[in-house]
Amino acid sequence: MKIKRLCRQSGLFALAVLILAGCGQAEPEEALPPPLVSVMTVTPSRLELNEVLPGRVAAVRIAEIRPQVSGIVQRRLFEQGAEVQAGQPLFQINPAPFKAEADATGAALQRAEVALARAQLQTSRLQSLVEVGAVSHQVYDDAVSLRDQAAADVAQARATLKRRQLDLKFATVEAPISGRIEQALVSEGALVSSGDSSPLARIHQIDQVYVDVRRPASSLESLRQALMSQQASADAGLPVAILQSDGEAYDATGRILFSGVNVDAGTGDVLLRVLVDNPQRLLLPGMFVRARVPRTSYAEALMVPQQAVVRNDGEPQIWVLDAQNRAKLTPVKLGELLNQHYRIQSGLAAGQTIVVEGMARLSNGIAVQAHEWQAPAPTTAAATH
């Protein structure tokens, strides 16, 4: 009985051991799928970098209207603030004194011409007499001298008449250039003189204007390189956009003419002069505007999205895929940031595939499952270092 009981207990114990052994055995783990990442192929493209600088508008030419004769202003012949053309009458100075002087000088010229004609006739008569010995050579020589003096008097009278006619013409003050005229600085009845320190008015030529901006002298080399890369001549210049306060561009095209030769000792800046076509007269002298000036350009720039760059201990790196879709962390050197894209100075080559999204599970040498990255809609942003 005891033997049967022991056999039964031994069987139960063996069964329990087998059950426990079966429960403790681990099931085989399933293999994890490769990480899913978004990738893009790095391709070179031309990159133009600009910077926005404050500038001030200046007229291409400014003419101060000054009288060339003295007299009383009778009339103002223009509308203040209007467009005037070169040669257009602006002020009328009383011409009566100048006309009287011109008439008197004309009469003196006629008197001199009559005296010359009489002296010429007298000389021709004495010439025939001196040949036959009827008069002395001294008498003839005196007649020739009087004739020459009369000719000189005629020449002087003619010159004086021209001067008086010029004074009469200058009594009408004309515009020396075309442009927009400011307000009149004198009124009718004012006595003006050619020696006055203040002008009668000013004309600003603003169909074209200058926009003067200041730029660090250290950036001039990149500006020269941009000029050479576009193969632009010195006359054509680099294109410049003039911006309003809200960032919208004026309907006016500009080009860089030159950079100043002097560097401001206080700021380290040089003057950059931009010539801007201003057909609608939207830009007025003295206005403060902003100019979008070319900074530099790259013929084959490698641009990568900002999120593709990871930093380890502050050093920028990018995950690069090889031909077997294995990821490798590669250090790079970054350039400018434009529209949430970095320009890669070194570390990448054209045609390489980089990881843009899905880098959380990556490690060096791991195989990945890649699909093409879809770029978001572009936004406008300023270039920074």
Side-chain angles (χ1 to χ4, degrees), residues 351-367:
Q352 287 186 299
T353 302
I354 65 170
V355 178
V356 180
E357 294 175 345
M359 296 168 281
R361 296 174 52 195
L362 296 186
S363 60
N364 275 317
I366 189 173

Side-chain angles (χ1 to χ4, degrees), residues 31-40 320-327 353-363 365-373:
L32 294 177
L36 181 62
V37 295
S38 299
V39 299
M40 66 168 288
V320 180
L321 300 186
D322 59 13
Q324 289 75 35
N325 274 0
R326 296 186 179 276
T353 302
I354 65 170
V355 178
V356 180
E357 294 175 345
M359 296 168 281
R361 296 174 52 195
L362 296 186
S363 60
I366 189 173
V368 300
Q369 181 181 353
H371 67 89
E372 192 68 21
W373 176 68

Side-chain angles (χ1 to χ4, degrees), residues 83-147:
E83 292 284 334
V84 297
Q85 302 298 320
Q88 177 178 335
L90 302 178
F91 293 93
Q92 179 62 61
I93 298 174
N94 185 8
F98 308 108
K99 187 176 186 306
E101 291 182 1
D103 292 341
T105 306
L109 174 60
Q110 290 181 356
R111 184 168 56 251
E113 289 175 341
V114 170
L116 175 60
R118 185 173 62 251
Q120 290 174 339
L121 180 60
Q122 182 68 13
T123 303
S124 62
R125 287 175 179 174
L126 292 176
Q127 183 177 6
S128 60
L129 294 176
V130 76
E131 290 177 354
V132 297
V135 295
S136 65
H137 285 281
Q138 181 64 42
V139 174
Y140 176 74
D141 291 341
D142 291 342
V144 171
S145 177
L146 290 175
R147 183 198 63 188

Side-chain angles (χ1 to χ4, degrees), residues 42-72:
V42 181
T43 56
S45 61
R46 184 171 185 84
L47 177 63
E48 302 287 344
L49 295 182
N50 304 313
E51 58 185 338
V52 177
L53 300 173
R56 193 167 193 173
V57 180
V60 171
R61 289 194 295 174
I62 301 177
E64 292 188 340
I65 311 304
R66 296 181 181 274
Q68 300 186 60
V69 293
S70 301
I72 301 297

Side-chain angles (χ1 to χ4, degrees), residues 105 108-109 112-113 116 148-163:
T105 306
L109 174 60
E113 289 175 341
L116 175 60
D148 294 342
Q149 183 178 353
D153 292 341
V154 169
Q156 181 180 7
R158 285 175 178 169
T160 304
L161 178 60
K162 288 183 179 180
R163 178 59 194 177

